[in-house]
Amino acid sequence: HMNRFRSSVKLQQAAMMYIVTQLMSHKEKVELRDIFLALDKNGDGTLTQEELLEGYTKMYGNKDRAIAEVNYMMVNADIDNNGTIDYSEFLLAAADKKKLLSKNNVKQAFDLFDMDKSGSISAEEIKRILGVGKRFSKGTWEQMIAQVDKNQDGEISYEEFETMMGKFANSQ
């Protein structure tokens, strides 16, 4: 059951990553980059749990709140599960989701996945974007679709995609 949940989250994260890296305003990116660089004490381009804890403790002036925030970050932002937060993972976690998930941005992300411009996203289209250079089990792409495919036609319509992204914004 957890696997099925994780597969739909991967699609949400990929769409969100596109929005964050391609559609976020320059001003927002600069602000978040400055925060990231301030937290990255050793300058290696990743944030360890220790670096996050130190930074959040300074920011909040409260170690308990900092620990809770860092634990949340590690669980929700460490997409590749390597124990550190890289810059793109930080952007994804720190971005203002509600602002970024404007109708226009969600439509642009949908259009990225809808390669053949048919008005819906197929398993093959998801595979072409998310599967590059990675090995996934046979039913992965179909599982991703099944998670958000309310009318069960085997593809993700724009409305289904929009609903999925709305859930992502509200869960963060």
Side-chain angles (χ1 to χ4, degrees):
H1 207 67
M2 195 61 188
N3 245 2
R4 285 180 42 201
F5 169 74
R6 294 295 304 163
S7 63
S8 69
V9 169
K10 281 197 189 328
L11 180 59
Q12 289 171 327
Q13 287 171 334
M16 199 58 209
M17 190 63 77
Y18 169 75
I19 290 170
V20 166
T21 58
Q22 302 301 312
L23 306 176
M24 181 188 281
S25 77
H26 179 69
K27 182 176 175 278
E28 273 181 294
K29 274 189 196 166
V30 167
E31 286 170 8
L32 291 175
R33 187 197 64 217
D34 290 347
I35 293 168
F36 183 87
L37 292 172
L39 291 170
D40 185 16
K41 292 294 181 208
N42 66 1
D44 68 352
T46 63
L47 302 177
T48 63
Q49 209 158 349
E50 295 73 34
E51 287 171 325
L52 285 168
L53 192 56
E54 186 182 325
Y56 279 119
T57 302
K58 276 185 193 152
M59 193 166 91
Y60 294 128
N62 173 334
K63 189 139 181 141
D64 290 338
R65 181 159 177 213
I67 289 169
E69 192 65 36
V70 170
N71 287 341
Y72 178 84
M73 272 291 263
M74 295 311 291
V75 168
N76 293 290
D78 185 16
I79 295 168
D80 58 10
N81 292 315
N82 68 353
T84 63
I85 307 295
D86 66 30
Y87 183 61
S88 58
E89 290 170 332
F90 178 79
L91 277 180
L92 195 58
D96 180 345
K97 312 258 181 324
K98 298 224 181 338
K99 193 158 88 181
L100 277 175
L101 289 171
S102 67
K103 283 219 179 285
N104 184 39
N105 286 359
V106 170
K107 179 74 175 108
Q108 285 188 51
F110 178 83
D111 290 345
L112 171 80
F113 282 94
D114 182 18
M115 294 169 137
D116 64 4
K117 306 299 172 228
S118 65
S120 62
I121 301 169
S122 68
E124 189 54 42
E125 287 169 322
I126 294 172
K127 182 180 177 181
R128 275 195 254 155
I129 291 177
L130 299 185
V132 179
K134 297 188 181 92
R135 292 182 57 138
F136 286 94
S137 59
K138 197 163 171 40
T140 301
W141 315 112
E142 290 75 14
Q143 277 182 356
M144 278 187 192
I145 286 180
Q147 290 302 297
V148 291
D149 183 19
K150 295 297 168 231
N151 67 2
Q152 299 178 337
D153 66 352
E155 300 204 336
I156 300 173
S157 68
Y158 176 68
E159 290 72 29
E160 290 163 339
F161 186 83
E162 196 175 34
T163 300
M164 173 191 77
M165 294 311 289
K167 285 181 185 160
F168 185 71
N170 295 326
S171 73
Q172 299 294 301

